[in-house]
Amino acid sequence: MRPLFHPAPNDISVEGILHALADPVRARIFAAIAKADCPQTCSTFLEVSDQPVPKSTLSQHFKVLREAGRVHSERKGVELHNTPRQDDLHARFGPLITAIINAHTAQAERQLRAKRARRGKSP
């Protein structure tokens, strides 16, 4: 089995971070990992969006997050346990990542409220 690639903190770019978080599914995944108290397995996120996410697509999302320096993945048996790399990047990028995740969370909450309101108004 090939080792997992994790970039050194100095090799992580703002462009890579923004690319990784530009996809709504990846942004949801990362926001959940960042808020979690313990490592999260990939299978936790099979239903992270309105539609079930195929395992192969989920693997690709985690690869993008990992290679952008957003998560650290560790193999434990057949599962990958993922943790955020907040401490590695806070000194380099300051509050940028926190601001992006907070904005994403607020946006997702507004979208959910709007969706619930539309359902409540339909017959």
Side-chain angles (χ1 to χ4, degrees):
M1 200 171 287
R2 291 189 327 219
L4 299 170
F5 173 74
H6 295 93
N10 290 338
D11 294 334
I12 298 169
S13 68
V14 171
E15 296 85 2
I17 290 170
L18 294 176
H19 167 73
L21 298 177
D23 182 279
V25 172
R26 285 195 296 266
R28 283 187 203 128
I29 290 169
F30 180 72
I33 290 172
K35 291 177 185 176
D37 293 336
C38 60
Q40 300 294 297
T41 61
C42 298
S43 59
T44 302
F45 300 98
L46 287 170
E47 296 189 19
V48 72
S49 68
D50 295 340
Q51 305 284 331
V53 180
K55 288 182 181 181
S56 59
T57 303
L58 199 55
S59 293
Q60 181 62 28
H61 285 315
F62 274 95
K63 180 181 178 187
V64 171
L65 288 168
R66 186 172 49 253
E67 291 182 353
R70 294 311 313 131
V71 298
H72 181 270
S73 302
E74 183 178 345
R75 289 188 206 279
K76 291 192 179 185
V78 296
E79 293 185 325
L80 288 179
H81 291 245
N82 301 282
T83 54
R85 290 183 63 180
Q86 300 292 63
D87 295 340
D88 289 345
L89 301 175
H90 187 67
R92 183 173 165 107
F93 298 109
L96 172 68
I97 306 306
T98 303
I100 292 169
I101 294 305
N102 288 343
H104 173 270
T105 301
Q107 175 181 293
E109 288 171 358
R110 283 190 305 274
Q111 290 171 340
L112 183 59
R113 281 193 304 272
K115 186 176 181 180
R116 286 181 180 154
R118 284 191 301 271
R119 272 192 270 149
K121 293 180 181 179
S122 10

mmCIF file of all heavy atoms in Angstrom, residues 23-72:
data_model
loop_
_atom_site.group_PDB
_atom_site.id
_atom_site.type_symbol
_atom_site.label_atom_id
_atom_site.label_comp_id
_atom_site.label_asym_id
_atom_site.label_seq_id
_atom_site.Cartn_x
_atom_site.Cartn_y
_atom_site.Cartn_z
ATOM 1 N N ASP A 23 -15.215 23.233 -3.460
ATOM 2 C CA ASP A 23 -16.277 22.254 -3.685
ATOM 3 C C ASP A 23 -17.154 22.186 -2.429
ATOM 4 O O ASP A 23 -16.635 22.005 -1.321
ATOM 5 C CB ASP A 23 -15.649 20.886 -3.973
ATOM 6 C CG ASP A 23 -16.699 19.842 -4.267
ATOM 7 O OD1 ASP A 23 -17.289 19.299 -3.306
ATOM 8 O OD2 ASP A 23 -16.940 19.577 -5.456
ATOM 9 N N PRO A 24 -18.472 22.334 -2.582
ATOM 10 C CA PRO A 24 -19.346 22.339 -1.404
ATOM 11 C C PRO A 24 -19.275 21.065 -0.562
ATOM 12 O O PRO A 24 -19.359 21.134 0.666
ATOM 13 C CB PRO A 24 -20.755 22.509 -1.982
ATOM 14 C CG PRO A 24 -20.579 22.958 -3.379
ATOM 15 C CD PRO A 24 -19.212 22.546 -3.819
ATOM 16 N N VAL A 25 -19.099 19.923 -1.198
ATOM 17 C CA VAL A 25 -19.016 18.668 -0.436
ATOM 18 C C VAL A 25 -17.729 18.652 0.383
ATOM 19 O O VAL A 25 -17.745 18.312 1.570
ATOM 20 C CB VAL A 25 -19.110 17.438 -1.369
ATOM 21 C CG1 VAL A 25 -18.824 16.146 -0.614
ATOM 22 C CG2 VAL A 25 -20.486 17.377 -2.021
ATOM 23 N N ARG A 26 -16.609 19.040 -0.232
ATOM 24 C CA ARG A 26 -15.344 19.068 0.507
ATOM 25 C C ARG A 26 -15.408 20.091 1.636
ATOM 26 O O ARG A 26 -14.885 19.853 2.726
ATOM 27 C CB ARG A 26 -14.170 19.368 -0.418
ATOM 28 C CG ARG A 26 -13.788 18.188 -1.269
ATOM 29 C CD ARG A 26 -12.425 18.363 -1.898
ATOM 30 N NE ARG A 26 -12.357 19.457 -2.830
ATOM 31 C CZ ARG A 26 -12.527 19.356 -4.151
ATOM 32 N NH1 ARG A 26 -12.786 18.179 -4.696
ATOM 33 N NH2 ARG A 26 -12.412 20.409 -4.928
ATOM 34 N N ALA A 27 -16.040 21.226 1.390
ATOM 35 C CA ALA A 27 -16.167 22.240 2.442
ATOM 36 C C ALA A 27 -16.982 21.683 3.610
ATOM 37 O O ALA A 27 -16.615 21.884 4.776
ATOM 38 C CB ALA A 27 -16.810 23.507 1.886
ATOM 39 N N ARG A 28 -18.058 20.948 3.326
ATOM 40 C CA ARG A 28 -18.866 20.334 4.396
ATOM 41 C C ARG A 28 -18.051 19.303 5.165
ATOM 42 O O ARG A 28 -18.116 19.226 6.394
ATOM 43 C CB ARG A 28 -20.107 19.661 3.823
ATOM 44 C CG ARG A 28 -21.188 20.614 3.450
ATOM 45 C CD ARG A 28 -22.462 19.880 3.035
ATOM 46 N NE ARG A 28 -23.241 20.756 2.204
ATOM 47 C CZ ARG A 28 -23.719 20.435 1.011
ATOM 48 N NH1 ARG A 28 -23.535 19.224 0.516
ATOM 49 N NH2 ARG A 28 -24.397 21.307 0.319
ATOM 50 N N ILE A 29 -17.310 18.486 4.419
ATOM 51 C CA ILE A 29 -16.479 17.464 5.058
ATOM 52 C C ILE A 29 -15.469 18.127 5.983
ATOM 53 O O ILE A 29 -15.337 17.755 7.153
ATOM 54 C CB ILE A 29 -15.761 16.595 4.005
ATOM 55 C CG1 ILE A 29 -16.760 15.704 3.270
ATOM 56 C CG2 ILE A 29 -14.659 15.758 4.659
ATOM 57 C CD1 ILE A 29 -16.185 15.008 2.046
ATOM 58 N N PHE A 30 -14.757 19.120 5.460
ATOM 59 C CA PHE A 30 -13.730 19.751 6.283
ATOM 60 C C PHE A 30 -14.338 20.471 7.491
ATOM 61 O O PHE A 30 -13.801 20.397 8.592
ATOM 62 C CB PHE A 30 -12.855 20.714 5.490
ATOM 63 C CG PHE A 30 -11.831 21.339 6.383
ATOM 64 C CD1 PHE A 30 -10.770 20.585 6.851
ATOM 65 C CD2 PHE A 30 -11.965 22.642 6.820
ATOM 66 C CE1 PHE A 30 -9.856 21.122 7.742
ATOM 67 C CE2 PHE A 30 -11.061 23.190 7.702
ATOM 68 C CZ PHE A 30 -10.000 22.431 8.163
ATOM 69 N N ALA A 31 -15.447 21.154 7.304
ATOM 70 C CA ALA A 31 -16.084 21.857 8.427
ATOM 71 C C ALA A 31 -16.450 20.861 9.532
ATOM 72 O O ALA A 31 -16.244 21.146 10.713
ATOM 73 C CB ALA A 31 -17.320 22.606 7.943
ATOM 74 N N ALA A 32 -16.957 19.701 9.157
ATOM 75 C CA ALA A 32 -17.322 18.687 10.153
ATOM 76 C C ALA A 32 -16.085 18.131 10.854
ATOM 77 O O ALA A 32 -16.097 17.932 12.076
ATOM 78 C CB ALA A 32 -18.108 17.557 9.489
ATOM 79 N N ILE A 33 -15.022 17.894 10.106
ATOM 80 C CA ILE A 33 -13.781 17.388 10.709
ATOM 81 C C ILE A 33 -13.199 18.435 11.656
ATOM 82 O O ILE A 33 -12.738 18.112 12.754
ATOM 83 C CB ILE A 33 -12.766 16.991 9.621
ATOM 84 C CG1 ILE A 33 -13.256 15.738 8.886
ATOM 85 C CG2 ILE A 33 -11.382 16.744 10.227
ATOM 86 C CD1 ILE A 33 -12.430 15.373 7.670
ATOM 87 N N ALA A 34 -13.223 19.700 11.240
ATOM 88 C CA ALA A 34 -12.660 20.774 12.060
ATOM 89 C C ALA A 34 -13.420 20.936 13.373
ATOM 90 O O ALA A 34 -12.832 21.310 14.385
ATOM 91 C CB ALA A 34 -12.655 22.083 11.276
ATOM 92 N N LYS A 35 -14.710 20.654 13.371
ATOM 93 C CA LYS A 35 -15.530 20.813 14.574
ATOM 94 C C LYS A 35 -15.532 19.573 15.466
ATOM 95 O O LYS A 35 -15.956 19.642 16.615
ATOM 96 C CB LYS A 35 -16.972 21.133 14.186
ATOM 97 C CG LYS A 35 -17.128 22.501 13.567
ATOM 98 C CD LYS A 35 -18.564 22.723 13.151
ATOM 99 C CE LYS A 35 -18.708 24.040 12.421
ATOM 100 N NZ LYS A 35 -20.059 24.231 11.929
ATOM 101 N N ALA A 36 -15.085 18.444 14.943
ATOM 102 C CA ALA A 36 -15.157 17.176 15.669
ATOM 103 C C ALA A 36 -14.137 17.123 16.805
ATOM 104 O O ALA A 36 -13.076 17.729 16.737
ATOM 105 C CB ALA A 36 -14.935 16.009 14.717
ATOM 106 N N ASP A 37 -14.493 16.367 17.837
ATOM 107 C CA ASP A 37 -13.613 16.197 18.988
ATOM 108 C C ASP A 37 -12.611 15.057 18.799
ATOM 109 O O ASP A 37 -11.688 14.926 19.592
ATOM 110 C CB ASP A 37 -14.441 15.897 20.243
ATOM 111 C CG ASP A 37 -15.295 17.080 20.659
ATOM 112 O OD1 ASP A 37 -14.943 18.220 20.312
ATOM 113 O OD2 ASP A 37 -16.317 16.853 21.329
ATOM 114 N N CYS A 38 -12.828 14.236 17.779
ATOM 115 C CA CYS A 38 -11.961 13.086 17.566
ATOM 116 C C CYS A 38 -11.794 12.858 16.056
ATOM 117 O O CYS A 38 -12.537 13.416 15.263
ATOM 118 C CB CYS A 38 -12.545 11.843 18.238
ATOM 119 S SG CYS A 38 -14.164 11.381 17.623
ATOM 120 N N PRO A 39 -10.814 12.036 15.657
ATOM 121 C CA PRO A 39 -10.629 11.758 14.230
ATOM 122 C C PRO A 39 -11.904 11.193 13.603
ATOM 123 O O PRO A 39 -12.652 10.450 14.248
ATOM 124 C CB PRO A 39 -9.504 10.722 14.209
ATOM 125 C CG PRO A 39 -8.771 10.942 15.486
ATOM 126 C CD PRO A 39 -9.812 11.358 16.485
ATOM 127 N N GLN A 40 -12.142 11.557 12.360
ATOM 128 C CA GLN A 40 -13.334 11.123 11.634
ATOM 129 C C GLN A 40 -12.931 10.171 10.509
ATOM 130 O O GLN A 40 -11.975 10.449 9.779
ATOM 131 C CB GLN A 40 -14.055 12.325 11.031
ATOM 132 C CG GLN A 40 -14.515 13.342 12.057
ATOM 133 C CD GLN A 40 -15.592 12.776 12.955
ATOM 134 O OE1 GLN A 40 -16.668 12.432 12.488
ATOM 135 N NE2 GLN A 40 -15.306 12.671 14.232
ATOM 136 N N THR A 41 -13.667 9.085 10.365
ATOM 137 C CA THR A 41 -13.387 8.160 9.268
ATOM 138 C C THR A 41 -14.088 8.651 8.004
ATOM 139 O O THR A 41 -15.075 9.388 8.072
ATOM 140 C CB THR A 41 -13.881 6.734 9.594
ATOM 141 O OG1 THR A 41 -15.291 6.773 9.785
ATOM 142 C CG2 THR A 41 -13.192 6.181 10.830
ATOM 143 N N CYS A 42 -13.585 8.231 6.869
ATOM 144 C CA CYS A 42 -14.171 8.633 5.586
ATOM 145 C C CYS A 42 -15.626 8.190 5.481
ATOM 146 O O CYS A 42 -16.474 8.926 4.968
ATOM 147 C CB CYS A 42 -13.363 8.059 4.432
ATOM 148 S SG CYS A 42 -11.656 8.660 4.376
ATOM 149 N N SER A 43 -15.924 6.997 5.982
ATOM 150 C CA SER A 43 -17.284 6.463 5.849
ATOM 151 C C SER A 43 -18.315 7.290 6.613
ATOM 152 O O SER A 43 -19.506 7.205 6.326
ATOM 153 C CB SER A 43 -17.334 5.005 6.293
ATOM 154 O OG SER A 43 -16.928 4.882 7.636
ATOM 155 N N THR A 44 -17.879 8.114 7.534
ATOM 156 C CA THR A 44 -18.782 9.007 8.260
ATOM 157 C C THR A 44 -19.500 9.944 7.297
ATOM 158 O O THR A 44 -20.607 10.397 7.569
ATOM 159 C CB THR A 44 -17.982 9.841 9.288
ATOM 160 O OG1 THR A 44 -17.321 8.957 10.175
ATOM 161 C CG2 THR A 44 -18.874 10.777 10.074
ATOM 162 N N PHE A 45 -18.878 10.212 6.151
ATOM 163 C CA PHE A 45 -19.368 11.241 5.238
ATOM 164 C C PHE A 45 -20.048 10.688 3.983
ATOM 165 O O PHE A 45 -20.212 11.410 3.008
ATOM 166 C CB PHE A 45 -18.209 12.162 4.853
ATOM 167 C CG PHE A 45 -17.609 12.822 6.052
ATOM 168 C CD1 PHE A 45 -16.461 12.320 6.640
ATOM 169 C CD2 PHE A 45 -18.227 13.918 6.630
ATOM 170 C CE1 PHE A 45 -15.928 12.918 7.762
ATOM 171 C CE2 PHE A 45 -17.711 14.519 7.752
ATOM 172 C CZ PHE A 45 -16.542 14.020 8.326
ATOM 173 N N LEU A 46 -20.479 9.437 4.020
ATOM 174 C CA LEU A 46 -21.148 8.856 2.858
ATOM 175 C C LEU A 46 -22.419 9.608 2.491
ATOM 176 O O LEU A 46 -22.828 9.626 1.343
ATOM 177 C CB LEU A 46 -21.454 7.375 3.085
ATOM 178 C CG LEU A 46 -20.233 6.453 3.040
ATOM 179 C CD1 LEU A 46 -20.603 5.053 3.518
ATOM 180 C CD2 LEU A 46 -19.646 6.414 1.642
ATOM 181 N N GLU A 47 -23.040 10.248 3.464
ATOM 182 C CA GLU A 47 -24.272 10.998 3.205
ATOM 183 C C GLU A 47 -24.109 12.455 3.629
ATOM 184 O O GLU A 47 -24.985 13.041 4.256
ATOM 185 C CB GLU A 47 -25.446 10.331 3.914
ATOM 186 C CG GLU A 47 -25.701 8.948 3.350
ATOM 187 C CD GLU A 47 -26.975 8.306 3.861
ATOM 188 O OE1 GLU A 47 -27.853 9.025 4.364
ATOM 189 O OE2 GLU A 47 -27.072 7.077 3.745
ATOM 190 N N VAL A 48 -22.991 13.059 3.237
ATOM 191 C CA VAL A 48 -22.689 14.435 3.614
ATOM 192 C C VAL A 48 -23.489 15.451 2.803
ATOM 193 O O VAL A 48 -23.626 16.590 3.194
ATOM 194 C CB VAL A 48 -21.170 14.702 3.511
ATOM 195 C CG1 VAL A 48 -20.717 14.775 2.078
ATOM 196 C CG2 VAL A 48 -20.784 15.953 4.267
ATOM 197 N N SER A 49 -24.043 15.024 1.692
ATOM 198 C CA SER A 49 -24.834 15.947 0.870
ATOM 199 C C SER A 49 -26.241 15.383 0.688
ATOM 200 O O SER A 49 -26.580 14.345 1.243
ATOM 201 C CB SER A 49 -24.156 16.159 -0.488
ATOM 202 O OG SER A 49 -24.199 14.993 -1.257
ATOM 203 N N ASP A 50 -27.056 16.080 -0.112
ATOM 204 C CA ASP A 50 -28.429 15.645 -0.357
ATOM 205 C C ASP A 50 -28.479 14.269 -1.019
ATOM 206 O O ASP A 50 -29.412 13.517 -0.823
ATOM 207 C CB ASP A 50 -29.163 16.655 -1.242
ATOM 208 C CG ASP A 50 -29.335 17.999 -0.549
ATOM 209 O OD1 ASP A 50 -29.242 18.047 0.695
ATOM 210 O OD2 ASP A 50 -29.560 18.995 -1.245
ATOM 211 N N GLN A 51 -27.482 13.987 -1.827
ATOM 212 C CA GLN A 51 -27.377 12.707 -2.523
ATOM 213 C C GLN A 51 -26.272 11.878 -1.859
ATOM 214 O O GLN A 51 -25.257 12.433 -1.449
ATOM 215 C CB GLN A 51 -26.991 12.933 -3.996
ATOM 216 C CG GLN A 51 -27.904 13.860 -4.742
ATOM 217 C CD GLN A 51 -29.209 13.180 -5.096
ATOM 218 O OE1 GLN A 51 -29.251 11.979 -5.275
ATOM 219 N NE2 GLN A 51 -30.266 13.960 -5.189
ATOM 220 N N PRO A 52 -26.420 10.557 -1.762
ATOM 221 C CA PRO A 52 -25.320 9.734 -1.239
ATOM 222 C C PRO A 52 -24.074 9.923 -2.105
ATOM 223 O O PRO A 52 -24.161 10.053 -3.322
ATOM 224 C CB PRO A 52 -25.844 8.304 -1.347
ATOM 225 C CG PRO A 52 -27.326 8.445 -1.419
ATOM 226 C CD PRO A 52 -27.603 9.756 -2.080
ATOM 227 N N VAL A 53 -22.913 9.971 -1.471
ATOM 228 C CA VAL A 53 -21.653 10.169 -2.178
ATOM 229 C C VAL A 53 -20.999 8.804 -2.366
ATOM 230 O O VAL A 53 -20.753 8.099 -1.386
ATOM 231 C CB VAL A 53 -20.711 11.102 -1.379
ATOM 232 C CG1 VAL A 53 -19.401 11.301 -2.107
ATOM 233 C CG2 VAL A 53 -21.393 12.434 -1.105
ATOM 234 N N PRO A 54 -20.717 8.413 -3.616
ATOM 235 C CA PRO A 54 -20.044 7.127 -3.841
ATOM 236 C C PRO A 54 -18.686 7.093 -3.136
ATOM 237 O O PRO A 54 -18.018 8.127 -3.001
ATOM 238 C CB PRO A 54 -19.864 7.066 -5.359
ATOM 239 C CG PRO A 54 -20.853 8.038 -5.911
ATOM 240 C CD PRO A 54 -21.016 9.102 -4.875
ATOM 241 N N LYS A 55 -18.282 5.919 -2.686
ATOM 242 C CA LYS A 55 -17.016 5.783 -1.964
ATOM 243 C C LYS A 55 -15.831 6.280 -2.785
ATOM 244 O O LYS A 55 -14.928 6.908 -2.249
ATOM 245 C CB LYS A 55 -16.791 4.327 -1.544
ATOM 246 C CG LYS A 55 -17.688 3.888 -0.428
ATOM 247 C CD LYS A 55 -17.379 2.457 -0.025
ATOM 248 C CE LYS A 55 -18.309 2.015 1.077
ATOM 249 N NZ LYS A 55 -18.024 0.635 1.507
ATOM 250 N N SER A 56 -15.843 6.019 -4.094
ATOM 251 C CA SER A 56 -14.721 6.455 -4.932
ATOM 252 C C SER A 56 -14.645 7.980 -4.993
ATOM 253 O O SER A 56 -13.563 8.564 -4.953
ATOM 254 C CB SER A 56 -14.837 5.875 -6.343
ATOM 255 O OG SER A 56 -16.058 6.279 -6.942
ATOM 256 N N THR A 57 -15.791 8.638 -5.056
ATOM 257 C CA THR A 57 -15.833 10.101 -5.069
ATOM 258 C C THR A 57 -15.388 10.645 -3.721
ATOM 259 O O THR A 57 -14.629 11.617 -3.646
ATOM 260 C CB THR A 57 -17.249 10.596 -5.404
ATOM 261 O OG1 THR A 57 -17.636 10.051 -6.666
ATOM 262 C CG2 THR A 57 -17.315 12.114 -5.452
ATOM 263 N N LEU A 58 -15.824 10.004 -2.660
ATOM 264 C CA LEU A 58 -15.428 10.414 -1.321
ATOM 265 C C LEU A 58 -13.918 10.281 -1.137
ATOM 266 O O LEU A 58 -13.269 11.170 -0.577
ATOM 267 C CB LEU A 58 -16.175 9.565 -0.294
ATOM 268 C CG LEU A 58 -16.273 10.085 1.116
ATOM 269 C CD1 LEU A 58 -16.872 11.479 1.157
ATOM 270 C CD2 LEU A 58 -17.099 9.133 1.950
ATOM 271 N N SER A 59 -13.347 9.202 -1.656
ATOM 272 C CA SER A 59 -11.893 9.019 -1.594
ATOM 273 C C SER A 59 -11.172 10.151 -2.301
ATOM 274 O O SER A 59 -10.157 10.657 -1.814
ATOM 275 C CB SER A 59 -11.485 7.684 -2.223
ATOM 276 O OG SER A 59 -11.961 6.623 -1.449
ATOM 277 N N GLN A 60 -11.697 10.559 -3.444
ATOM 278 C CA GLN A 60 -11.091 11.661 -4.187
ATOM 279 C C GLN A 60 -11.191 12.971 -3.405
ATOM 280 O O GLN A 60 -10.242 13.747 -3.369
ATOM 281 C CB GLN A 60 -11.743 11.805 -5.569
ATOM 282 C CG GLN A 60 -11.161 12.909 -6.415
ATOM 283 C CD GLN A 60 -9.689 12.710 -6.740
ATOM 284 O OE1 GLN A 60 -9.192 11.589 -6.808
ATOM 285 N NE2 GLN A 60 -8.972 13.798 -6.930
ATOM 286 N N HIS A 61 -12.332 13.217 -2.770
ATOM 287 C CA HIS A 61 -12.487 14.431 -1.953
ATOM 288 C C HIS A 61 -11.444 14.460 -0.827
ATOM 289 O O HIS A 61 -10.819 15.491 -0.574
ATOM 290 C CB HIS A 61 -13.888 14.522 -1.356
ATOM 291 C CG HIS A 61 -14.954 14.920 -2.327
ATOM 292 N ND1 HIS A 61 -14.804 15.952 -3.225
ATOM 293 C CD2 HIS A 61 -16.210 14.430 -2.521
ATOM 294 C CE1 HIS A 61 -15.911 16.085 -3.941
ATOM 295 N NE2 HIS A 61 -16.778 15.164 -3.532
ATOM 296 N N PHE A 62 -11.257 13.321 -0.159
ATOM 297 C CA PHE A 62 -10.271 13.276 0.926
ATOM 298 C C PHE A 62 -8.850 13.439 0.401
ATOM 299 O O PHE A 62 -8.019 14.072 1.054
ATOM 300 C CB PHE A 62 -10.419 11.989 1.748
ATOM 301 C CG PHE A 62 -11.441 12.124 2.821
ATOM 302 C CD1 PHE A 62 -12.741 11.711 2.610
ATOM 303 C CD2 PHE A 62 -11.122 12.704 4.037
ATOM 304 C CE1 PHE A 62 -13.705 11.858 3.594
ATOM 305 C CE2 PHE A 62 -12.077 12.868 5.031
ATOM 306 C CZ PHE A 62 -13.371 12.441 4.812
ATOM 307 N N LYS A 63 -8.576 12.910 -0.757
ATOM 308 C CA LYS A 63 -7.250 13.089 -1.357
ATOM 309 C C LYS A 63 -6.975 14.570 -1.617
ATOM 310 O O LYS A 63 -5.891 15.074 -1.317
ATOM 311 C CB LYS A 63 -7.140 12.295 -2.662
ATOM 312 C CG LYS A 63 -5.797 12.443 -3.342
ATOM 313 C CD LYS A 63 -5.755 11.664 -4.637
ATOM 314 C CE LYS A 63 -4.401 11.878 -5.315
ATOM 315 N NZ LYS A 63 -4.347 11.301 -6.646
ATOM 316 N N VAL A 64 -7.951 15.269 -2.167
ATOM 317 C CA VAL A 64 -7.787 16.700 -2.440
ATOM 318 C C VAL A 64 -7.569 17.470 -1.139
ATOM 319 O O VAL A 64 -6.668 18.310 -1.042
ATOM 320 C CB VAL A 64 -8.996 17.259 -3.234
ATOM 321 C CG1 VAL A 64 -8.940 18.774 -3.328
ATOM 322 C CG2 VAL A 64 -9.052 16.643 -4.622
ATOM 323 N N LEU A 65 -8.366 17.172 -0.117
ATOM 324 C CA LEU A 65 -8.207 17.842 1.177
ATOM 325 C C LEU A 65 -6.837 17.548 1.790
ATOM 326 O O LEU A 65 -6.176 18.444 2.322
ATOM 327 C CB LEU A 65 -9.315 17.416 2.143
ATOM 328 C CG LEU A 65 -10.707 17.966 1.846
ATOM 329 C CD1 LEU A 65 -11.759 17.243 2.682
ATOM 330 C CD2 LEU A 65 -10.753 19.466 2.089
ATOM 331 N N ARG A 66 -6.414 16.304 1.699
ATOM 332 C CA ARG A 66 -5.117 15.893 2.262
ATOM 333 C C ARG A 66 -3.965 16.570 1.519
ATOM 334 O O ARG A 66 -3.066 17.139 2.131
ATOM 335 C CB ARG A 66 -4.997 14.369 2.193
ATOM 336 C CG ARG A 66 -3.784 13.805 2.866
ATOM 337 C CD ARG A 66 -3.806 12.278 2.939
ATOM 338 N NE ARG A 66 -4.122 11.626 1.680
ATOM 339 C CZ ARG A 66 -5.276 11.020 1.398
ATOM 340 N NH1 ARG A 66 -6.240 10.971 2.288
ATOM 341 N NH2 ARG A 66 -5.468 10.438 0.246
ATOM 342 N N GLU A 67 -4.009 16.544 0.188
ATOM 343 C CA GLU A 67 -2.911 17.110 -0.595
ATOM 344 C C GLU A 67 -2.880 18.634 -0.558
ATOM 345 O O GLU A 67 -1.861 19.243 -0.848
ATOM 346 C CB GLU A 67 -2.957 16.576 -2.020
ATOM 347 C CG GLU A 67 -2.612 15.092 -2.061
ATOM 348 C CD GLU A 67 -2.597 14.496 -3.448
ATOM 349 O OE1 GLU A 67 -2.972 15.176 -4.424
ATOM 350 O OE2 GLU A 67 -2.217 13.307 -3.549
ATOM 351 N N ALA A 68 -4.006 19.253 -0.167
ATOM 352 C CA ALA A 68 -4.039 20.705 0.017
ATOM 353 C C ALA A 68 -3.591 21.083 1.429
ATOM 354 O O ALA A 68 -3.499 22.259 1.751
ATOM 355 C CB ALA A 68 -5.444 21.239 -0.247
ATOM 356 N N GLY A 69 -3.339 20.087 2.258
ATOM 357 C CA GLY A 69 -2.879 20.344 3.611
ATOM 358 C C GLY A 69 -3.968 20.629 4.610
ATOM 359 O O GLY A 69 -3.706 21.119 5.703
ATOM 360 N N ARG A 70 -5.208 20.333 4.268
ATOM 361 C CA ARG A 70 -6.325 20.616 5.176
ATOM 362 C C ARG A 70 -6.521 19.523 6.221
ATOM 363 O O ARG A 70 -6.943 19.807 7.325
ATOM 364 C CB ARG A 70 -7.639 20.805 4.383
ATOM 365 C CG ARG A 70 -7.652 22.007 3.502
ATOM 366 C CD ARG A 70 -7.214 23.300 4.186
ATOM 367 N NE ARG A 70 -7.869 23.477 5.473
ATOM 368 C CZ ARG A 70 -7.219 23.780 6.588
ATOM 369 N NH1 ARG A 70 -5.933 23.953 6.614
ATOM 370 N NH2 ARG A 70 -7.870 23.916 7.713
ATOM 371 N N VAL A 71 -6.273 18.269 5.852
ATOM 372 C CA VAL A 71 -6.457 17.177 6.816
ATOM 373 C C VAL A 71 -5.213 16.300 6.855
ATOM 374 O O VAL A 71 -4.440 16.241 5.896
ATOM 375 C CB VAL A 71 -7.697 16.291 6.501
ATOM 376 C CG1 VAL A 71 -8.980 17.083 6.570
ATOM 377 C CG2 VAL A 71 -7.556 15.588 5.179
ATOM 378 N N HIS A 72 -5.058 15.635 7.987
ATOM 379 C CA HIS A 72 -4.027 14.609 8.125
ATOM 380 C C HIS A 72 -4.774 13.288 8.235
ATOM 381 O O HIS A 72 -5.691 13.146 9.049
ATOM 382 C CB HIS A 72 -3.176 14.840 9.372
ATOM 383 C CG HIS A 72 -2.108 13.818 9.515
ATOM 384 N ND1 HIS A 72 -2.299 12.642 10.199
ATOM 385 C CD2 HIS A 72 -0.858 13.779 9.026
ATOM 386 C CE1 HIS A 72 -1.199 11.921 10.128
ATOM 387 N NE2 HIS A 72 -0.302 12.588 9.426
#
